[in-house]
Amino acid sequence: MAPRLLLVPLGCLALLLPPPRAAEFSPSLDSDFTFTLPAGRKECFYQPMRREASLELEYQVLDGAGLDVDFHLLSPKGETLVFDERKSDGVHTVETEDGDYMFCFDNTFSTISEKVIFFELILDNMGEDGQDQEDWKKYVTGTDLLDMKLEDILESINSVKARLSKSVQIQTLLRAFEARDRNIQESNFDRVNFWSMVNLGVMVVVSAVQVYMLKSLFEDKRKSRT
């Protein structure tokens, strides 16, 4: 399983977009992060990429009013590759060139509600596997008489590694879905309790008014004569 690196906030980015804060990823095959985006704020990150590689990014809004956020993905040249407006989730894959790709989550349209956002980066063809294969080839000498060559072992290991990585990715996404559904259920639970108490209060007031009105109907309002 590829190592996971935390995002480190930086003071500023290149003059592509001026975000309040920024963070950086070191090159890795699989990274995921969950953070809180305050109301009225924008958070940007960047990812260094190589030519002819692949960048896949998936994000979900786990909590917050509306469960929506604006999303921007920019190329190293500052061109907008993806723009999602008021979306709760999204999956985007781009073929990359050399440079730093920037992606931003924008919550400036919300004035009071903060958002909890999860996103995952999956990087392919970053050149590491090719170097590993070159290292293996140094030892592939004198193995013609073996039933299974080192290349076959390497292929099997890479197949198992790819499937394990896919399993980890699916489990991570399922945890994100579970967290979002739990937040929705807790919000609905609080709303049901609030309106139940309101209905209970209304019933008590109506009952008291009815008792008072019935009691007033049977009162003898005639004044006694002296």
Side-chain angles (χ1 to χ4, degrees):
M1 181 174 63
R4 299 179 181 271
L5 300 178
L6 292 178
L7 298 175
V8 180
L10 299 179
C12 61
L13 290 176
L15 298 179
L16 298 176
L17 281 177
R21 291 182 297 170
E24 177 183 7
F25 283 111
S26 297
S28 62
L29 294 179
D30 189 358
S31 301
D32 60 82
F33 189 57
T34 302
F35 69 100
T36 299
L37 181 60
R41 297 288 297 274
K42 177 192 292 185
E43 190 82 24
C44 291
F45 309 90
Y46 73 91
Q47 171 62 48
M49 295 299 297
R50 300 180 180 180
R51 183 180 298 275
E52 297 181 355
S54 175
L55 168 63
E56 180 179 347
L57 191 149
E58 177 165 355
Y59 69 91
Q60 297 180 34
V61 182
L62 302 182
D63 195 14
L67 293 178
D68 54 358
V69 73
D70 290 345
F71 173 77
H72 307 260
L73 176 61
L74 284 78
S75 70
K77 299 179 181 179
E79 300 173 349
T80 300
L81 302 178
V82 176
F83 174 63
D84 291 341
E85 184 176 6
R86 308 288 294 270
K87 294 292 187 64
S88 61
D89 56 70
V91 181
H92 302 287
T93 303
V94 295
E95 300 299 324
T96 63
E97 57 186 21
D98 291 330
D100 296 337
Y101 283 76
M102 177 183 290
F103 54 98
C104 299
F105 299 93
D106 190 349
N107 193 32
T108 55
F109 60 85
S110 179
T111 57
I112 59 174
S113 176
E114 64 181 19
K115 307 294 173 62
V116 178
I117 300 174
F118 163 84
F119 67 87
E120 182 177 23
L121 290 177
I122 302 173
L123 313 181
D124 292 326
N125 301 325
M126 292 295 287
E128 298 177 357
D129 292 340
Q131 183 63 39
D132 292 341
Q133 293 178 3
E134 292 296 329
D135 294 339
W136 272 87
K137 289 180 180 179
K138 298 177 182 179
Y139 303 97
V140 185
T141 56
T143 58
D144 295 338
L145 300 179
L146 298 177
D147 293 334
M148 177 177 292
K149 297 182 180 180
L150 293 180
E151 292 94 332
D152 300 327
I153 298 176
L154 177 61
E155 182 179 357
S156 299
I157 292 176
N158 287 336
S159 177
V160 173
K161 177 183 176 182
R163 295 183 180 182
L164 288 176
S165 299
K166 189 65 176 179
S167 299
V168 171
Q169 177 191 357
I170 293 175
Q171 291 176 358
T172 302
L173 294 179
L174 290 177
R175 287 197 298 269
F177 280 120
E178 187 272 336
R180 183 172 66 177
D181 292 341
R182 184 176 64 252
N183 291 331
I184 293 175
Q185 291 177 357
E186 291 177 353
S187 176
N188 292 336
F189 177 75
D190 293 337
R191 291 180 181 179
V192 170
N193 284 340
F194 173 76
W195 288 110
S196 296
M197 294 301 296
V198 171
N199 290 334
L200 180 60
V202 172
M203 291 177 59
V204 171
V205 172
V206 171
S207 299
V209 172
Q210 289 180 344
V211 170
Y212 174 79
M213 294 298 295
L214 290 175
K215 184 178 179 181
S216 63
L217 291 177
F218 291 98
E219 287 181 351
D220 188 4
K221 297 182 180 179
R222 291 175 301 175
K223 296 182 179 180
S224 59
R225 297 179 179 177
T226 57

